[in-house]
Amino acid sequence: MKSTCIVSTLIISVLLLLSTGCNRQDNSKKKTSFHATEETTQQTLYDLEQIQESNELIAITLQGPDTYYEYKGKFVGLQFELAEAFANAIGVRLRMETARDTVELIKKLANGDADLVAVEIPITYPIDQDFLFAGTWSIGHDSLKADRKQWITRKTSSELTAALNKWYNSDIRTRIEEKEKTRNQVLV
């Protein structure tokens, strides 16, 4: 009888430990401004210092002729070239990932699967308060601020956001656009 009580107590104790110890992440559902429900997890701060320690900047983009594509075995595209130039400026290598759509871009950024979104998103696009528009920008044909587009970073990555904003200027964009234009003329 005593051994049965001890075994039962031991089993209950182990089950309690397993149920509390394995559930360290907050897997609550969160409704984003993209009207998509996503699971979010509590994340530790991952900013410029950690990116430089890992020697890798992870950018996520959409695949296409203005963003990221493969040509003759080499990856190219304006957003890729800009992200690569920024990675070089902060002394790390670039790993470019792709997503199917804008919702997936933001979800992967929120989950910590990427450090920044390397697609110029209109600043009028409804993003969650956990994100910031940063770095590269372009203004559409109307030259209105409302038509401005930028990359997106996590609000908790303030050092990365500041470095991106400090690094980017229109001369960098012009230089890379000219390089892209020359490459595209060769394609024709």
Side-chain angles (χ1 to χ4, degrees):
M1 180 76 172
K2 257 186 175 177
S3 64
T4 306
C5 281
I6 292 173
V7 170
S8 296
T9 304
L10 184 61
I11 290 173
I12 291 171
S13 298
V14 169
L15 290 174
L16 282 173
L17 283 173
L18 287 174
S19 69
T20 59
C22 292
N23 193 15
R24 292 187 181 173
Q25 293 183 337
D26 173 22
N27 287 328
S28 60
K29 295 242 178 198
K30 178 180 178 183
K31 187 138 183 160
T32 70
S33 54
F34 291 99
H35 309 292
T37 302
E38 62 184 51
E39 290 195 7
T40 57
T41 58
Q42 240 178 8
Q43 296 179 22
T44 57
L45 185 63
Y46 197 82
D47 205 349
L48 182 61
E49 183 179 342
Q50 290 76 23
I51 291 167
Q52 289 173 321
E53 286 173 3
S54 73
N55 196 35
E56 181 177 67
L57 173 70
I58 304 169
I60 188 159
T61 192
L62 299 173
Q63 197 163 2
D66 294 331
T67 54
Y68 176 67
Y69 61 99
E70 188 174 354
Y71 175 69
K72 292 187 177 182
K74 184 177 180 195
F75 292 106
V76 293
L78 179 60
Q79 302 307 309
F80 171 76
E81 300 281 346
L82 286 166
E84 188 173 56
F86 176 65
N88 289 335
I90 61 171
V92 299
R93 68 183 185 86
L94 173 67
R95 176 168 41 129
M96 188 66 91
E97 302 282 333
T98 59
R100 290 183 306 261
D101 54 35
T102 309
V103 172
E104 186 179 0
L105 287 170
I106 302 301
K107 184 176 181 180
K108 287 190 173 200
L109 182 64
N111 291 338
D113 296 331
D115 302 314
L116 61 85
V117 170
V119 173
E120 293 172 338
I121 306 290
I123 63 170
T124 56
Y125 199 82
I127 62 170
D128 196 319
Q129 64 185 9
D130 296 332
F131 306 107
L132 296 171
F133 286 101
T136 72
W137 56 269
S138 64
I139 297 179
H141 302 293
D142 295 335
S143 298
L144 299 174
K145 185 172 178 151
D147 203 21
R148 187 173 173 153
K149 300 174 183 179
Q150 288 190 278
W151 287 357
I152 300 175
T153 59
R154 284 186 300 276
K155 196 174 206 171
T156 57
S157 300
S158 58
E159 293 172 9
L160 174 65
T161 303
L164 189 54
N165 287 334
K166 183 178 179 182
W167 166 80
Y168 182 76
N169 64 58
S170 59
D171 292 339
I172 290 170
R173 181 185 193 85
T174 301
R175 182 174 38 88
I176 292 175
E177 283 177 330
E178 287 173 2
K179 182 179 171 184
E180 282 288 301
K181 189 184 288 187
T182 302
R183 181 183 0 264
N184 290 337
Q185 287 173 349
V186 171
L187 292 175
V188 176

